[in-house]
Amino acid sequence: MAKDSSDLFGKLFEAPEMTHTVPVLVPLPVPEAYSYAVPEGMAVEPGSVVQVPLGPRQVIGVVWDDPDADSGRPLDPKKLRPITLVFDCPPLTGEMRRFIDWVASYTLSPPGLVARMAVRAPAALDPEPMVEALRFLGGAPDRMTPARARVLERVADGAVWTRIGLSHAAGVSMSVVDGLIRHGLFETTFLPPPPVVARPDPDYVAPRIEGPQKQAASEIVETMQEGGFSAALIDGVTGSGKTEVYFEAIAQALRTGKQVLILLPEIALTASFLDRFQDRFGARPAEWHSDLSPRMREKVWRGVVTGEVRVVAGARSALFLPFEELGLIVVDEEHDPAYKQEERVFYNARDMAVVRARIGQFPVVLVSATPSVESQVNGQTGRYHMVHLPTRFGDAAMPDLHLVDMRRHPPERGGFLSPVMLRAVKKTIEKGQQALLFLNRRGYAPLTLCRVCGHRFQCPQCSSWLVEHRFKSQLQCHQCGHSERTPEACPECGTLDHLVACGPGVERIAEEVEKHFPDARTIVMSSDLLGGMKRMRIELEAIANGEADIVIGTQLVAKGHNFPLMTLVGIIDADLGLANGDPRAAERTFQLLSQVTGRAGRTGLKSHGLLQTYQPQHPVMQAIVSGDAYAFYEREINEREKAVLPPFGRLASIIVSADSRADAEGHARGLRAAAPHVAGIAVLGPAEAPLALVRGRHRFRLLVHGKRNSDMQSYLRTLLGSGPKVRGTVQVQLDVDPQSFL
């Protein structure tokens, strides 16, 4: 039952003109909708986007379920605050409302916060204004000039122009056009706003696929033609043509009049992907990501809800765009951890995409060269239709991969590149080809200390070391963003010039490369460099055009890029991802290293991959160099099944944080004591989180572990409901199906 909105404010509204009440979801962390009165003459329906009073503010809300669905005591419309405005945009569909309810129930999140993600572009709720334009009425000015003649020549066919468009087309200043307007040669008219993007044409060009790719596309299209929900997993090696295959699924959806959503990790939303889409469909998709301007976000949101935008390529938040007639979701790089949101509403966009497709009864296609263990198991058990592409497209071959045992081939003192790696880079650039050196660690060094007194630079607000960024002369915390200037003297003992950087980041590798290859053109790719996505796209284009000899990068370079001249990939520290207690560490290391080495040799040139490691016998290293992904997945799946870990078991993480360590620990222990005893579910902890202090808040973690068929949500509701009440600075975060264990 919706909560009485008058309870919020302590004052009842006397409003005799109110006719009935409706529940409205408001953007608050509350468990249910509030009831509001509907003024006489106002028409609302479930899904209507409205403006309602909330305390002294006016906020955006969404009318929910049935206006007459209140099953408790009847509410008097005269005693409730009224809806103040109904926005002139289509209501959220029943399908979208069911999806929001499902996400809220599964993640145990307030439904208002989930609904907020669907209406987070407030300025787009009203229709875009018409564009003022000019229509030629005929006639001629008293005095004709060459500039005026060019303007009149442009409008002779009766076309309607904007002022700025006409001046540009005629090659004249705005004052020339304004002078003709004053002469009465034009009248003002209005045009509809231009579309965000042109409509894609599914038959713009014939598909460029052959052999296995053509067969794979036929399988997916045939499944789509059967109608209803289906889930397919395209599992293909890097460069096997997976994108071209799912383009055919997109073409089929467009032919049937449906909208399409393509989900990508944000850093994979590059110009090369957008260009490939345009080459196939004659127009780019609309984009949706964090780097989009507010104005463009509004235009895309409006185009999606009205159906004007037919295809969106977006990051995880695009899943909550309120499509009018969504008919296909594609999740590219489905294994990527970036699909997991870990703030406010904790959800995995890959899993929620499958749920949204099932609710809407349309297909979803998951795509990866290194699928997640969960998706592999779903494919093996028949829940997903498996489409396998074992070879690269055309004449391209996979790179020859070799391990560099750093115990036998150590770098020179103070360096991090093995002589084997340096010789390979030298040969590559001498042939006019490109080398990629990969290290998934930003900055110059992960730790700075004083060699006199041993002082280590640590974030004052987090339990993490400050990372040196030598390009910026700063020490930065990668958890909270704290930064400070790199000092010349130790703040502990005052000694000058005795600070030492420990370990490498990409900036330090760039320094070493500069020492060995001073004449090489080098580009460093890292998410913390200035310029954002715009700079990243420019640099990726430069690499693709052969304007760099050596690329040094983090995981930015691992996803979906096509570099024609890239024939050598060197992994600086292949062991890096294995050095923690994350149960997914082996899987993620295998995925990341496979994706990175897959950047080489995509156009048929002979290519190589070198992995520097101190653990050459580790199963992950052996699986990568042997190319036997099946053996790796079989081993990893068996290990998960023995430990009853996902997808054979269920996990939920509860993080308790507070300004004081005692408050955080006390509340966590109170939750543990309140945990119900249920067969098949165990509560582990509390224990200090690996990152025990973040942004000045102390953190304790409980891990709830259950069998696959456990009713985890009911258990968590009972646990939180019977546990101690949240007081003071205590906060409790709940993460169902956690991806991170920090």
Side-chain angles (χ1 to χ4, degrees), residues 430-571:
E430 283 177 349
K431 291 188 290 186
Q433 297 169 359
Q434 293 173 321
L436 167 63
L437 299 180
F438 172 82
L439 176 63
N440 201 25
R441 185 184 280 149
R442 294 176 286 155
Y444 184 84
L447 171 64
T448 301
L449 56 79
C450 173
R451 62 166 61 115
V452 174
C453 71
H455 172 74
R456 298 185 177 195
F457 287 83
Q458 183 172 341
C459 176
Q461 303 179 86
C462 303
S463 53
S464 60
W465 306 122
L466 292 177
V467 177
E468 180 181 358
H469 287 255
R470 193 158 291 187
F471 290 175
K472 300 177 182 178
S473 299
Q474 287 184 342
L475 298 173
Q476 294 184 353
C477 174
H478 288 174
Q479 301 302 322
C480 69
H482 168 82
S483 66
E484 55 190 64
R485 295 288 296 177
T486 305
E488 296 180 358
C490 173
E492 189 72 21
C493 68
T495 307
L496 284 167
D497 300 326
H498 275 71
L499 300 181
V500 59
C502 300
V506 286
E507 294 178 13
R508 195 168 193 177
I509 300 302
E511 184 178 86
E512 187 173 353
V513 165
E514 176 69 20
K515 171 187 170 184
H516 289 285
F517 307 103
D519 297 326
R521 299 170 297 172
T522 303
I523 286 181
V524 177
M525 296 288 296
S526 178
S527 60
D528 54 12
L529 297 180
L530 299 176
M533 185 172 285
K534 184 176 181 180
R535 172 177 174 172
M536 183 189 77
R537 288 181 173 178
I538 292 172
E539 292 188 336
L540 288 172
E541 186 176 352
I543 297 168
N545 292 335
E547 297 170 15
D549 302 312
I550 302 173
V551 180
I552 303 162
T554 63
Q555 62 178 343
L556 271 177
V557 297
K559 305 166 193 286
H561 309 307
N562 186 21
F563 304 134
L565 295 177
M566 189 76 69
T567 59
L568 173 67
V569 171
I571 309 297

Side-chain angles (χ1 to χ4, degrees), residues 2 20-24 34-38 44 63-64 66-67 70 80 83:
H20 62 284
T21 67
V22 292
V24 176
Y34 289 121
S35 290
Y36 284 88
V38 180
V44 297
V63 177
W64 220 242
D66 192 303
D70 285 335
L80 296 177
I83 295 173

Side-chain angles (χ1 to χ4, degrees), residues 108 654 667-668 670-676 681-683 702-704 712-724 732 734:
L108 275 71
I654 303 174
H667 192 91
L671 286 175
R672 177 66 182 85
I681 297 181
V683 179
L702 298 100
L703 190 65
V704 184
M712 185 67 74
Q713 278 72 15
S714 294
Y715 184 88
L716 292 170
R717 288 189 188 96
T718 302
L719 188 157
L720 295 175
S722 58
V732 177
L734 182 61

